[in-house]
Amino acid sequence: MHVPRPHPYQQPHPYRHPLPETPVETTTRLRPIRTRHPIRSATAAVCVVLGLGLIGGAATGAWLTSDSSADPAAHSVYTVGRSAWHSVPVDTLFPRTLSGDGAGPGGADRLWTRVAVAPDSGCKAALDPLLARTLGPVGCERMLRATYADATSSSVTTVGVIFTEGDTEAMRALSTRFTDQHLDRRTDLMPPTYPVKGTVAAGFGDRQRASWTVHVLTELPAVVFAVSGFADGRTVTDPQPVDKAMAANATTAAAQAGLGHDAKGIADRIERGLRRTITDLTEKPE
């Protein structure tokens, strides 16, 4: 009796429903084999010997000229990083809690708790049009976002990762442009919030954005951003990028509340976690 071989286990997709399984195997009817002529049999044997020699030579050449591991392109940081949005568990990308030892104003400790995770999306529908056009040269594979609240539930922060389609040159060019043109300081390029009904982030909209950061990575095909605001839904008329909001002489309400520290602290920890995860995925087996 034929016993079908079981499927190898596959990790469930963190954002989508799994696809229906396919049959274990498909069989076809075998055709009858004719009686071989002696001359044809001898010719076939010679062909087999020659074929085996060619295959053996090719295999030996490949073994001598390449690594025995899988295709290097499949293990490249950019290849793995670009697909991380659907292959890495959401709790790995956005941990339920983030510890910010010394990440607050004056070196105070911070603790952030995840409020909710947004469904994965494209960039055009979620980003402001100007920011979407600015990131256009590197493309947008997918964008993931999550919102966190601080331990006192007085501030909320949306952090996001945009997985791009750009190669190393494109990512470096975009990073240079952000640095040279100070694009990360422009209020018209602030990243979006992710308000969540029924939570402390329910009133966290565009007018509540107080401090933000946008970082274009060059060793990974990703852009990491974070934007923070007050949990009480108050309107902020003078938002500041994190470097200004964290300055020692900053006097705005957002700065004094440590919202710049929140945006930077959360973004840094999500970015470090992403780097660590991609590094682990790209390590070749010994």
Side-chain angles (χ1 to χ4, degrees), residues 182-219:
H182 305 291
L183 300 184
D184 55 345
R185 298 183 179 183
R186 287 177 45 169
T187 56
D188 56 352
L189 294 178
M190 276 194 293
T193 66
Y194 177 57
V196 188
K197 293 182 179 180
T199 70
V200 294
F204 188 33
D206 289 347
R207 300 179 64 187
Q208 285 68 44
R209 293 179 291 187
S211 188
W212 78 97
T213 180
V214 179
H215 186 202
V216 179
L217 280 63
T218 56
E219 69 277 26

PDB file of all heavy atoms in Angstrom, residues 182-219:
ATOM      1  N   HIS A 182      19.095  67.449   4.410  1.00  0.00           N
ATOM      2  CA  HIS A 182      18.413  67.506   5.713  1.00  0.00           C
ATOM      3  C   HIS A 182      16.917  67.160   5.587  1.00  0.00           C
ATOM      4  O   HIS A 182      16.063  67.783   6.211  1.00  0.00           O
ATOM      5  CB  HIS A 182      18.581  68.888   6.353  1.00  0.00           C
ATOM      6  CG  HIS A 182      20.008  69.319   6.489  1.00  0.00           C
ATOM      7  ND1 HIS A 182      20.884  68.722   7.366  1.00  0.00           N
ATOM      8  CD2 HIS A 182      20.716  70.291   5.846  1.00  0.00           C
ATOM      9  CE1 HIS A 182      22.072  69.307   7.272  1.00  0.00           C
ATOM     10  NE2 HIS A 182      22.001  70.253   6.349  1.00  0.00           N
ATOM     11  N   LEU A 183      16.642  66.162   4.790  1.00  0.00           N
ATOM     12  CA  LEU A 183      15.248  65.775   4.579  1.00  0.00           C
ATOM     13  C   LEU A 183      14.610  65.207   5.841  1.00  0.00           C
ATOM     14  O   LEU A 183      13.389  65.259   5.992  1.00  0.00           O
ATOM     15  CB  LEU A 183      15.161  64.741   3.447  1.00  0.00           C
ATOM     16  CG  LEU A 183      15.672  65.192   2.076  1.00  0.00           C
ATOM     17  CD1 LEU A 183      15.424  64.102   1.037  1.00  0.00           C
ATOM     18  CD2 LEU A 183      15.016  66.494   1.647  1.00  0.00           C
ATOM     19  N   ASP A 184      15.441  64.663   6.731  1.00  0.00           N
ATOM     20  CA  ASP A 184      14.899  64.090   7.963  1.00  0.00           C
ATOM     21  C   ASP A 184      14.449  65.160   8.951  1.00  0.00           C
ATOM     22  O   ASP A 184      13.900  64.837  10.007  1.00  0.00           O
ATOM     23  CB  ASP A 184      15.930  63.176   8.623  1.00  0.00           C
ATOM     24  CG  ASP A 184      17.253  63.866   8.876  1.00  0.00           C
ATOM     25  OD1 ASP A 184      17.488  64.955   8.303  1.00  0.00           O
ATOM     26  OD2 ASP A 184      18.069  63.330   9.652  1.00  0.00           O
ATOM     27  N   ARG A 185      14.643  66.434   8.616  1.00  0.00           N
ATOM     28  CA  ARG A 185      14.212  67.516   9.492  1.00  0.00           C
ATOM     29  C   ARG A 185      13.004  68.278   8.963  1.00  0.00           C
ATOM     30  O   ARG A 185      12.482  69.160   9.642  1.00  0.00           O
ATOM     31  CB  ARG A 185      15.370  68.507   9.697  1.00  0.00           C
ATOM     32  CG  ARG A 185      16.594  67.907  10.377  1.00  0.00           C
ATOM     33  CD  ARG A 185      17.645  68.965  10.615  1.00  0.00           C
ATOM     34  NE  ARG A 185      18.824  68.420  11.281  1.00  0.00           N
ATOM     35  CZ  ARG A 185      19.866  69.145  11.657  1.00  0.00           C
ATOM     36  NH1 ARG A 185      19.865  70.460  11.413  1.00  0.00           N
ATOM     37  NH2 ARG A 185      20.892  68.575  12.251  1.00  0.00           N
ATOM     38  N   ARG A 186      12.576  67.935   7.774  1.00  0.00           N
ATOM     39  CA  ARG A 186      11.466  68.656   7.160  1.00  0.00           C
ATOM     40  C   ARG A 186      10.127  68.166   7.698  1.00  0.00           C
ATOM     41  O   ARG A 186       9.822  66.966   7.662  1.00  0.00           O
ATOM     42  CB  ARG A 186      11.515  68.500   5.636  1.00  0.00           C
ATOM     43  CG  ARG A 186      12.614  69.302   4.992  1.00  0.00           C
ATOM     44  CD  ARG A 186      12.705  69.085   3.506  1.00  0.00           C
ATOM     45  NE  ARG A 186      11.413  69.115   2.817  1.00  0.00           N
ATOM     46  CZ  ARG A 186      11.286  69.162   1.490  1.00  0.00           C
ATOM     47  NH1 ARG A 186      12.378  69.177   0.730  1.00  0.00           N
ATOM     48  NH2 ARG A 186      10.086  69.180   0.932  1.00  0.00           N
ATOM     49  N   THR A 187       9.311  69.104   8.172  1.00  0.00           N
ATOM     50  CA  THR A 187       8.016  68.726   8.745  1.00  0.00           C
ATOM     51  C   THR A 187       7.061  68.175   7.688  1.00  0.00           C
ATOM     52  O   THR A 187       6.130  67.432   8.029  1.00  0.00           O
ATOM     53  CB  THR A 187       7.372  69.935   9.442  1.00  0.00           C
ATOM     54  OG1 THR A 187       7.270  71.016   8.498  1.00  0.00           O
ATOM     55  CG2 THR A 187       8.215  70.388  10.632  1.00  0.00           C
ATOM     56  N   ASP A 188       7.278  68.537   6.416  1.00  0.00           N
ATOM     57  CA  ASP A 188       6.389  68.009   5.384  1.00  0.00           C
ATOM     58  C   ASP A 188       6.767  66.595   4.965  1.00  0.00           C
ATOM     59  O   ASP A 188       6.115  66.007   4.100  1.00  0.00           O
ATOM     60  CB  ASP A 188       6.362  68.933   4.162  1.00  0.00           C
ATOM     61  CG  ASP A 188       7.742  69.177   3.571  1.00  0.00           C
ATOM     62  OD1 ASP A 188       8.738  68.756   4.199  1.00  0.00           O
ATOM     63  OD2 ASP A 188       7.828  69.784   2.489  1.00  0.00           O
ATOM     64  N   LEU A 189       7.808  66.054   5.576  1.00  0.00           N
ATOM     65  CA  LEU A 189       8.208  64.675   5.324  1.00  0.00           C
ATOM     66  C   LEU A 189       8.105  63.818   6.584  1.00  0.00           C
ATOM     67  O   LEU A 189       8.745  62.773   6.687  1.00  0.00           O
ATOM     68  CB  LEU A 189       9.642  64.626   4.778  1.00  0.00           C
ATOM     69  CG  LEU A 189       9.868  65.247   3.401  1.00  0.00           C
ATOM     70  CD1 LEU A 189      11.334  65.162   3.008  1.00  0.00           C
ATOM     71  CD2 LEU A 189       8.998  64.573   2.339  1.00  0.00           C
ATOM     72  N   MET A 190       7.275  64.263   7.522  1.00  0.00           N
ATOM     73  CA  MET A 190       7.078  63.464   8.737  1.00  0.00           C
ATOM     74  C   MET A 190       6.368  62.154   8.393  1.00  0.00           C
ATOM     75  O   MET A 190       5.468  62.138   7.548  1.00  0.00           O
ATOM     76  CB  MET A 190       6.254  64.244   9.774  1.00  0.00           C
ATOM     77  CG  MET A 190       7.056  65.189  10.622  1.00  0.00           C
ATOM     78  SD  MET A 190       6.150  65.769  12.083  1.00  0.00           S
ATOM     79  CE  MET A 190       4.866  66.756  11.323  1.00  0.00           C
ATOM     80  N   PRO A 191       6.761  61.067   9.024  1.00  0.00           N
ATOM     81  CA  PRO A 191       6.104  59.772   8.762  1.00  0.00           C
ATOM     82  C   PRO A 191       4.704  59.735   9.366  1.00  0.00           C
ATOM     83  O   PRO A 191       4.338  60.573  10.197  1.00  0.00           O
ATOM     84  CB  PRO A 191       7.039  58.771   9.449  1.00  0.00           C
ATOM     85  CG  PRO A 191       7.752  59.566  10.494  1.00  0.00           C
ATOM     86  CD  PRO A 191       7.891  60.943   9.950  1.00  0.00           C
ATOM     87  N   PRO A 192       3.902  58.765   8.970  1.00  0.00           N
ATOM     88  CA  PRO A 192       2.512  58.687   9.438  1.00  0.00           C
ATOM     89  C   PRO A 192       2.378  58.064  10.817  1.00  0.00           C
ATOM     90  O   PRO A 192       3.248  57.323  11.274  1.00  0.00           O
ATOM     91  CB  PRO A 192       1.850  57.797   8.381  1.00  0.00           C
ATOM     92  CG  PRO A 192       2.958  56.871   7.967  1.00  0.00           C
ATOM     93  CD  PRO A 192       4.208  57.708   7.987  1.00  0.00           C
ATOM     94  N   THR A 193       1.279  58.376  11.483  1.00  0.00           N
ATOM     95  CA  THR A 193       0.948  57.746  12.756  1.00  0.00           C
ATOM     96  C   THR A 193       0.049  56.542  12.488  1.00  0.00           C
ATOM     97  O   THR A 193      -0.483  56.372  11.398  1.00  0.00           O
ATOM     98  CB  THR A 193       0.208  58.718  13.687  1.00  0.00           C
ATOM     99  OG1 THR A 193      -1.075  59.039  13.104  1.00  0.00           O
ATOM    100  CG2 THR A 193       1.000  59.999  13.880  1.00  0.00           C
ATOM    101  N   TYR A 194      -0.126  55.723  13.515  1.00  0.00           N
ATOM    102  CA  TYR A 194      -1.085  54.617  13.431  1.00  0.00           C
ATOM    103  C   TYR A 194      -1.969  54.668  14.671  1.00  0.00           C
ATOM    104  O   TYR A 194      -1.668  54.080  15.701  1.00  0.00           O
ATOM    105  CB  TYR A 194      -0.371  53.271  13.329  1.00  0.00           C
ATOM    106  CG  TYR A 194      -1.334  52.095  13.303  1.00  0.00           C
ATOM    107  CD1 TYR A 194      -2.324  52.008  12.328  1.00  0.00           C
ATOM    108  CD2 TYR A 194      -1.259  51.079  14.252  1.00  0.00           C
ATOM    109  CE1 TYR A 194      -3.215  50.947  12.300  1.00  0.00           C
ATOM    110  CE2 TYR A 194      -2.137  50.015  14.229  1.00  0.00           C
ATOM    111  CZ  TYR A 194      -3.116  49.951  13.252  1.00  0.00           C
ATOM    112  OH  TYR A 194      -3.997  48.905  13.225  1.00  0.00           O
ATOM    113  N   PRO A 195      -3.078  55.429  14.604  1.00  0.00           N
ATOM    114  CA  PRO A 195      -3.994  55.493  15.740  1.00  0.00           C
ATOM    115  C   PRO A 195      -4.778  54.190  15.879  1.00  0.00           C
ATOM    116  O   PRO A 195      -5.070  53.524  14.877  1.00  0.00           O
ATOM    117  CB  PRO A 195      -4.914  56.664  15.372  1.00  0.00           C
ATOM    118  CG  PRO A 195      -4.869  56.722  13.879  1.00  0.00           C
ATOM    119  CD  PRO A 195      -3.503  56.251  13.469  1.00  0.00           C
ATOM    120  N   VAL A 196      -5.114  53.835  17.098  1.00  0.00           N
ATOM    121  CA  VAL A 196      -5.813  52.579  17.356  1.00  0.00           C
ATOM    122  C   VAL A 196      -7.014  52.856  18.244  1.00  0.00           C
ATOM    123  O   VAL A 196      -6.868  53.318  19.380  1.00  0.00           O
ATOM    124  CB  VAL A 196      -4.880  51.559  18.052  1.00  0.00           C
ATOM    125  CG1 VAL A 196      -5.562  50.196  18.132  1.00  0.00           C
ATOM    126  CG2 VAL A 196      -3.561  51.448  17.310  1.00  0.00           C
ATOM    127  N   LYS A 197      -8.195  52.602  17.730  1.00  0.00           N
ATOM    128  CA  LYS A 197      -9.419  52.852  18.489  1.00  0.00           C
ATOM    129  C   LYS A 197      -9.458  52.002  19.755  1.00  0.00           C
ATOM    130  O   LYS A 197      -9.021  50.863  19.770  1.00  0.00           O
ATOM    131  CB  LYS A 197     -10.652  52.560  17.637  1.00  0.00           C
ATOM    132  CG  LYS A 197     -10.836  53.512  16.467  1.00  0.00           C
ATOM    133  CD  LYS A 197     -12.115  53.185  15.708  1.00  0.00           C
ATOM    134  CE  LYS A 197     -12.333  54.153  14.549  1.00  0.00           C
ATOM    135  NZ  LYS A 197     -13.582  53.844  13.802  1.00  0.00           N
ATOM    136  N   GLY A 198     -10.004  52.602  20.816  1.00  0.00           N
ATOM    137  CA  GLY A 198     -10.142  51.877  22.073  1.00  0.00           C
ATOM    138  C   GLY A 198      -8.866  51.744  22.862  1.00  0.00           C
ATOM    139  O   GLY A 198      -8.811  50.982  23.839  1.00  0.00           O
ATOM    140  N   THR A 199      -7.807  52.477  22.469  1.00  0.00           N
ATOM    141  CA  THR A 199      -6.533  52.425  23.184  1.00  0.00           C
ATOM    142  C   THR A 199      -6.073  53.846  23.499  1.00  0.00           C
ATOM    143  O   THR A 199      -6.707  54.831  23.111  1.00  0.00           O
ATOM    144  CB  THR A 199      -5.440  51.734  22.340  1.00  0.00           C
ATOM    145  OG1 THR A 199      -5.090  52.587  21.229  1.00  0.00           O
ATOM    146  CG2 THR A 199      -5.941  50.406  21.792  1.00  0.00           C
ATOM    147  N   VAL A 200      -4.945  53.960  24.171  1.00  0.00           N
ATOM    148  CA  VAL A 200      -4.404  55.279  24.487  1.00  0.00           C
ATOM    149  C   VAL A 200      -3.943  56.005  23.232  1.00  0.00           C
ATOM    150  O   VAL A 200      -3.704  57.215  23.260  1.00  0.00           O
ATOM    151  CB  VAL A 200      -3.217  55.166  25.474  1.00  0.00           C
ATOM    152  CG1 VAL A 200      -3.690  54.648  26.808  1.00  0.00           C
ATOM    153  CG2 VAL A 200      -2.120  54.267  24.896  1.00  0.00           C
ATOM    154  N   ALA A 201      -3.836  55.287  22.112  1.00  0.00           N
ATOM    155  CA  ALA A 201      -3.415  55.896  20.853  1.00  0.00           C
ATOM    156  C   ALA A 201      -4.593  56.237  19.951  1.00  0.00           C
ATOM    157  O   ALA A 201      -4.413  56.516  18.766  1.00  0.00           O
ATOM    158  CB  ALA A 201      -2.454  54.966  20.116  1.00  0.00           C
ATOM    159  N   ALA A 202      -5.805  56.249  20.490  1.00  0.00           N
ATOM    160  CA  ALA A 202      -6.992  56.495  19.670  1.00  0.00           C
ATOM    161  C   ALA A 202      -6.961  57.872  19.009  1.00  0.00           C
ATOM    162  O   ALA A 202      -7.431  58.044  17.883  1.00  0.00           O
ATOM    163  CB  ALA A 202      -8.248  56.340  20.519  1.00  0.00           C
ATOM    164  N   GLY A 203      -6.417  58.879  19.700  1.00  0.00           N
ATOM    165  CA  GLY A 203      -6.398  60.236  19.165  1.00  0.00           C
ATOM    166  C   GLY A 203      -5.075  60.636  18.553  1.00  0.00           C
ATOM    167  O   GLY A 203      -4.811  61.836  18.390  1.00  0.00           O
ATOM    168  N   PHE A 204      -4.261  59.670  18.197  1.00  0.00           N
ATOM    169  CA  PHE A 204      -2.920  59.952  17.676  1.00  0.00           C
ATOM    170  C   PHE A 204      -2.980  60.104  16.162  1.00  0.00           C
ATOM    171  O   PHE A 204      -2.787  59.147  15.416  1.00  0.00           O
ATOM    172  CB  PHE A 204      -1.974  58.817  18.086  1.00  0.00           C
ATOM    173  CG  PHE A 204      -0.525  59.090  17.783  1.00  0.00           C
ATOM    174  CD1 PHE A 204       0.003  60.369  17.839  1.00  0.00           C
ATOM    175  CD2 PHE A 204       0.325  58.046  17.453  1.00  0.00           C
ATOM    176  CE1 PHE A 204       1.342  60.607  17.561  1.00  0.00           C
ATOM    177  CE2 PHE A 204       1.670  58.265  17.184  1.00  0.00           C
ATOM    178  CZ  PHE A 204       2.173  59.559  17.230  1.00  0.00           C
ATOM    179  N   GLY A 205      -3.239  61.326  15.709  1.00  0.00           N
ATOM    180  CA  GLY A 205      -3.336  61.586  14.284  1.00  0.00           C
ATOM    181  C   GLY A 205      -2.217  62.480  13.797  1.00  0.00           C
ATOM    182  O   GLY A 205      -1.244  62.744  14.516  1.00  0.00           O
ATOM    183  N   ASP A 206      -2.358  62.991  12.578  1.00  0.00           N
ATOM    184  CA  ASP A 206      -1.313  63.820  11.986  1.00  0.00           C
ATOM    185  C   ASP A 206      -1.054  65.094  12.788  1.00  0.00           C
ATOM    186  O   ASP A 206       0.092  65.531  12.922  1.00  0.00           O
ATOM    187  CB  ASP A 206      -1.686  64.191  10.552  1.00  0.00           C
ATOM    188  CG  ASP A 206      -1.593  63.006   9.603  1.00  0.00           C
ATOM    189  OD1 ASP A 206      -1.016  61.974  10.008  1.00  0.00           O
ATOM    190  OD2 ASP A 206      -2.098  63.105   8.470  1.00  0.00           O
ATOM    191  N   ARG A 207      -2.098  65.706  13.337  1.00  0.00           N
ATOM    192  CA  ARG A 207      -1.938  66.963  14.072  1.00  0.00           C
ATOM    193  C   ARG A 207      -1.347  66.749  15.465  1.00  0.00           C
ATOM    194  O   ARG A 207      -0.997  67.704  16.136  1.00  0.00           O
ATOM    195  CB  ARG A 207      -3.281  67.682  14.177  1.00  0.00           C
ATOM    196  CG  ARG A 207      -3.898  68.031  12.841  1.00  0.00           C
ATOM    197  CD  ARG A 207      -5.228  68.718  12.993  1.00  0.00           C
ATOM    198  NE  ARG A 207      -5.084  70.007  13.675  1.00  0.00           N
ATOM    199  CZ  ARG A 207      -6.115  70.753  14.047  1.00  0.00           C
ATOM    200  NH1 ARG A 207      -7.371  70.326  13.838  1.00  0.00           N
ATOM    201  NH2 ARG A 207      -5.922  71.916  14.644  1.00  0.00           N
ATOM    202  N   GLN A 208      -1.226  65.490  15.859  1.00  0.00           N
ATOM    203  CA  GLN A 208      -0.653  65.173  17.169  1.00  0.00           C
ATOM    204  C   GLN A 208       0.826  64.789  17.075  1.00  0.00           C
ATOM    205  O   GLN A 208       1.453  64.493  18.095  1.00  0.00           O
ATOM    206  CB  GLN A 208      -1.438  64.029  17.818  1.00  0.00           C
ATOM    207  CG  GLN A 208      -2.798  64.427  18.376  1.00  0.00           C
ATOM    208  CD  GLN A 208      -3.797  64.804  17.298  1.00  0.00           C
ATOM    209  OE1 GLN A 208      -3.906  64.126  16.280  1.00  0.00           O
ATOM    210  NE2 GLN A 208      -4.530  65.888  17.510  1.00  0.00           N
ATOM    211  N   ARG A 209       1.383  64.806  15.893  1.00  0.00           N
ATOM    212  CA  ARG A 209       2.794  64.437  15.742  1.00  0.00           C
ATOM    213  C   ARG A 209       3.692  65.507  16.364  1.00  0.00           C
ATOM    214  O   ARG A 209       3.587  66.690  16.032  1.00  0.00           O
ATOM    215  CB  ARG A 209       3.130  64.250  14.259  1.00  0.00           C
ATOM    216  CG  ARG A 209       2.433  63.048  13.640  1.00  0.00           C
ATOM    217  CD  ARG A 209       2.762  62.893  12.167  1.00  0.00           C
ATOM    218  NE  ARG A 209       2.175  63.955  11.354  1.00  0.00           N
ATOM    219  CZ  ARG A 209       2.196  63.977  10.017  1.00  0.00           C
ATOM    220  NH1 ARG A 209       2.786  62.984   9.354  1.00  0.00           N
ATOM    221  NH2 ARG A 209       1.651  64.980   9.360  1.00  0.00           N
ATOM    222  N   ALA A 210       4.580  65.063  17.258  1.00  0.00           N
ATOM    223  CA  ALA A 210       5.401  66.022  18.011  1.00  0.00           C
ATOM    224  C   ALA A 210       6.890  65.890  17.690  1.00  0.00           C
ATOM    225  O   ALA A 210       7.601  66.890  17.622  1.00  0.00           O
ATOM    226  CB  ALA A 210       5.181  65.834  19.512  1.00  0.00           C
ATOM    227  N   SER A 211       7.385  64.676  17.511  1.00  0.00           N
ATOM    228  CA  SER A 211       8.803  64.472  17.208  1.00  0.00           C
ATOM    229  C   SER A 211       8.937  63.232  16.348  1.00  0.00           C
ATOM    230  O   SER A 211       8.138  62.297  16.462  1.00  0.00           O
ATOM    231  CB  SER A 211       9.626  64.330  18.492  1.00  0.00           C
ATOM    232  OG  SER A 211      11.012  64.315  18.193  1.00  0.00           O
ATOM    233  N   TRP A 212       9.956  63.216  15.489  1.00  0.00           N
ATOM    234  CA  TRP A 212      10.063  62.107  14.548  1.00  0.00           C
ATOM    235  C   TRP A 212      11.507  61.892  14.114  1.00  0.00           C
ATOM    236  O   TRP A 212      12.378  62.744  14.304  1.00  0.00           O
ATOM    237  CB  TRP A 212       9.204  62.386  13.322  1.00  0.00           C
ATOM    238  CG  TRP A 212       9.808  63.355  12.348  1.00  0.00           C
ATOM    239  CD1 TRP A 212      10.522  63.070  11.209  1.00  0.00           C
ATOM    240  CD2 TRP A 212       9.792  64.791  12.433  1.00  0.00           C
ATOM    241  NE1 TRP A 212      10.937  64.226  10.587  1.00  0.00           N
ATOM    242  CE2 TRP A 212      10.500  65.300  11.322  1.00  0.00           C
ATOM    243  CE3 TRP A 212       9.238  65.698  13.353  1.00  0.00           C
ATOM    244  CZ2 TRP A 212      10.683  66.657  11.106  1.00  0.00           C
ATOM    245  CZ3 TRP A 212       9.413  67.056  13.137  1.00  0.00           C
ATOM    246  CH2 TRP A 212      10.119  67.522  12.017  1.00  0.00           C
ATOM    247  N   THR A 213      11.729  60.726  13.526  1.00  0.00           N
ATOM    248  CA  THR A 213      13.017  60.381  12.938  1.00  0.00           C
ATOM    249  C   THR A 213      12.789  59.494  11.727  1.00  0.00           C
ATOM    250  O   THR A 213      11.855  58.677  11.714  1.00  0.00           O
ATOM    251  CB  THR A 213      13.933  59.657  13.943  1.00  0.00           C
ATOM    252  OG1 THR A 213      15.178  59.337  13.309  1.00  0.00           O
ATOM    253  CG2 THR A 213      13.312  58.380  14.455  1.00  0.00           C
ATOM    254  N   VAL A 214      13.608  59.657  10.708  1.00  0.00           N
ATOM    255  CA  VAL A 214      13.587  58.807   9.518  1.00  0.00           C
ATOM    256  C   VAL A 214      15.029  58.420   9.219  1.00  0.00           C
ATOM    257  O   VAL A 214      15.883  59.288   9.050  1.00  0.00           O
ATOM    258  CB  VAL A 214      12.977  59.520   8.295  1.00  0.00           C
ATOM    259  CG1 VAL A 214      13.007  58.596   7.077  1.00  0.00           C
ATOM    260  CG2 VAL A 214      11.553  59.972   8.587  1.00  0.00           C
ATOM    261  N   HIS A 215      15.302  57.127   9.158  1.00  0.00           N
ATOM    262  CA  HIS A 215      16.665  56.664   8.922  1.00  0.00           C
ATOM    263  C   HIS A 215      16.689  55.721   7.731  1.00  0.00           C
ATOM    264  O   HIS A 215      16.054  54.660   7.753  1.00  0.00           O
ATOM    265  CB  HIS A 215      17.223  55.956  10.156  1.00  0.00           C
ATOM    266  CG  HIS A 215      18.668  55.584  10.031  1.00  0.00           C
ATOM    267  ND1 HIS A 215      19.260  54.588  10.778  1.00  0.00           N
ATOM    268  CD2 HIS A 215      19.654  56.060   9.209  1.00  0.00           C
ATOM    269  CE1 HIS A 215      20.529  54.479  10.448  1.00  0.00           C
ATOM    270  NE2 HIS A 215      20.789  55.358   9.495  1.00  0.00           N
ATOM    271  N   VAL A 216      17.427  56.107   6.692  1.00  0.00           N
ATOM    272  CA  VAL A 216      17.598  55.265   5.505  1.00  0.00           C
ATOM    273  C   VAL A 216      18.799  54.357   5.739  1.00  0.00           C
ATOM    274  O   VAL A 216      19.936  54.822   5.866  1.00  0.00           O
ATOM    275  CB  VAL A 216      17.821  56.116   4.244  1.00  0.00           C
ATOM    276  CG1 VAL A 216      18.013  55.208   3.026  1.00  0.00           C
ATOM    277  CG2 VAL A 216      16.659  57.076   4.037  1.00  0.00           C
ATOM    278  N   LEU A 217      18.576  53.053   5.795  1.00  0.00           N
ATOM    279  CA  LEU A 217      19.658  52.099   5.999  1.00  0.00           C
ATOM    280  C   LEU A 217      20.363  51.853   4.671  1.00  0.00           C
ATOM    281  O   LEU A 217      19.745  51.935   3.609  1.00  0.00           O
ATOM    282  CB  LEU A 217      19.138  50.787   6.570  1.00  0.00           C
ATOM    283  CG  LEU A 217      18.850  50.731   8.074  1.00  0.00           C
ATOM    284  CD1 LEU A 217      17.746  51.696   8.475  1.00  0.00           C
ATOM    285  CD2 LEU A 217      18.460  49.317   8.494  1.00  0.00           C
ATOM    286  N   THR A 218      21.642  51.557   4.729  1.00  0.00           N
ATOM    287  CA  THR A 218      22.401  51.273   3.510  1.00  0.00           C
ATOM    288  C   THR A 218      22.862  49.821   3.432  1.00  0.00           C
ATOM    289  O   THR A 218      23.091  49.316   2.333  1.00  0.00           O
ATOM    290  CB  THR A 218      23.635  52.193   3.415  1.00  0.00           C
ATOM    291  OG1 THR A 218      24.438  52.051   4.596  1.00  0.00           O
ATOM    292  CG2 THR A 218      23.220  53.639   3.262  1.00  0.00           C
ATOM    293  N   GLU A 219      23.018  49.145   4.552  1.00  0.00           N
ATOM    294  CA  GLU A 219      23.415  47.740   4.526  1.00  0.00           C
ATOM    295  C   GLU A 219      22.216  46.804   4.463  1.00  0.00           C
ATOM    296  O   GLU A 219      22.363  45.588   4.321  1.00  0.00           O
ATOM    297  CB  GLU A 219      24.283  47.389   5.737  1.00  0.00           C
ATOM    298  CG  GLU A 219      23.549  47.402   7.061  1.00  0.00           C
ATOM    299  CD  GLU A 219      23.436  48.788   7.670  1.00  0.00           C
ATOM    300  OE1 GLU A 219      23.459  49.788   6.930  1.00  0.00           O
ATOM    301  OE2 GLU A 219      23.324  48.869   8.895  1.00  0.00           O
TER     302      GLU A 219
END
